[in-house]
Amino acid sequence: MIETCKNYCVLKAFDIDGDMLVKCRELANVDGVSLEFAQRNLDCKLTLINKSASDITYQRILDGILELLKSNVYANYDTTLEQCLIENARSKGAKIAVAESLTGGMICSRLVNVPGSSSVLYEGFVTYDASAKVRRLHVKLSTIEEHGVVSEEVAKEMAYGLLQNNEIDFAISTTGCAGPQSDEYDTPVGLSYIGIGSREGIQVFDTFFDKDRNEIRKCVTNTALYLALKNIKEL
């Protein structure tokens, strides 16, 4: 139990695969030390507990886990992706705008959950229909006709449309197919694209999750928050 331990550390990390977790457990396989792990929609929490090992041994294990997970770790305390994103954006004086399709407002909702998010979150669009992407974000109709709604090109133009507002420093966009059926472009269910943009440029990341509809949307939301956090730290 944490209440009776010498000390402990919580690491928040993203998308730890099975091999990485096995290696973490091997590092923590020392008398007097235990490792607890929880994961939800790719967002992971590792709690390294020191019950009776020496401080030197405990620190060596913690350093080894941090070295193993590297950039997958986004915080060394118990927090959330959205909290970290808001804190980092606030420290940079950055305003964020979001354009969502398949996530349907989940990203904005998560950001608004954080007290003080009004200092960072400027606006959010749920452009679910293709015509809304054209009208609200100025995505080119020719881009949709050539590449489909779920495409790298559309995600990039959605983010670009947000950045046309000079008040915006950072843009997040999502487009994808959460199912249960494919769309008129025969997009594979589970495929999505996430646009992350600033004045320095726009990157688009593709993801694929073989899950049910709402789990896909939650995984895309978490991935978008994580990618935005990584990128805003570099602003």
Side-chain angles (χ1 to χ4, degrees):
M1 295 291 291
I2 289 178
E3 292 81 2
T4 59
C5 70
K6 291 176 63 177
N7 48 38
Y8 72 96
C9 180
V10 173
L11 300 178
K12 293 301 298 289
F14 191 77
D15 194 18
I16 297 176
D17 61 30
D19 289 342
M20 294 173 75
L21 180 58
V22 168
K23 291 176 182 178
C24 287
R25 293 194 186 282
E26 288 173 350
L27 286 170
N29 187 24
V30 174
D31 287 343
V33 177
S34 63
L35 179 66
E36 297 179 357
F37 175 79
Q39 183 269 138
R40 188 172 185 180
N41 304 126
L42 306 179
D43 192 15
C44 305
K45 177 180 177 179
L46 299 93
T47 307
L48 185 66
I49 303 170
N50 183 13
K51 299 176 182 177
S52 58
S54 70
D55 290 342
I56 293 175
T57 297
Y58 177 74
Q59 189 62 52
R60 175 178 55 78
I61 295 169
L62 178 58
D63 290 345
I65 291 174
L66 286 169
E67 175 62 25
L68 175 65
L69 299 181
K70 294 183 179 177
S71 63
N72 292 72
V73 175
Y74 65 85
N76 59 357
Y77 57 98
D78 197 2
T79 185
T80 63
L81 286 163
E82 56 267 31
Q83 180 74 49
C84 281
L85 179 54
I86 292 292
E87 289 171 356
N88 277 269
R90 186 185 294 121
S91 72
K92 301 292 178 67
K95 290 285 188 178
I96 296 176
V98 186
E100 303 183 60
S101 189
L102 85 157
T103 48
M106 283 184 169
I107 296 172
C108 277
S109 179
R110 291 274 296 277
L111 293 175
V112 171
N113 281 342
V114 180
S117 58
S118 58
S119 65
V120 170
L121 181 60
Y122 184 85
E123 64 185 356
F125 294 87
V126 178
T127 52
Y128 206 64
D129 191 84
S131 62
K133 295 175 176 66
V134 174
R135 290 201 314 271
R136 301 296 187 187
L137 301 171
H138 309 294
V139 174
K140 298 183 185 70
L141 182 58
S142 59
T143 301
I144 294 174
E145 290 174 341
E146 181 177 355
H147 300 285
V149 174
V150 181
S151 63
E152 176 182 349
E153 292 78 8
V154 167
K156 186 172 185 178
E157 290 189 14
M158 290 172 70
Y160 182 78
L162 292 172
L163 290 166
Q164 296 315 291
N165 184 338
N166 289 329
E167 298 293 327
I168 305 302
D169 303 294
F170 200 81
I172 304 170
S173 65
T174 63
T175 181
C177 182
Q181 287 85 34
S182 182
D183 58 17
E184 63 268 34
Y185 301 95
D186 294 324
T187 303
V189 173
L191 177 66
S192 71
Y193 293 89
I194 300 167
I196 303 292
S198 69
R199 302 296 167 195
E200 298 175 1
I202 299 171
Q203 294 177 277
V204 179
F205 304 85
D206 63 285
T207 67
F208 182 84
F209 300 110
D210 185 15
K211 299 177 181 292
D212 67 31
R213 177 179 174 81
N214 282 328
E215 290 301 300
I216 290 170
R217 296 173 64 230
K218 291 174 184 176
C219 285
V220 173
T221 295
N222 278 348
T223 303
L225 290 168
Y226 173 69
L227 291 172
L229 174 59
K230 279 189 66 176
N231 280 265
I232 211 161
K233 286 179 176 180
E234 299 170 2
L235 279 179

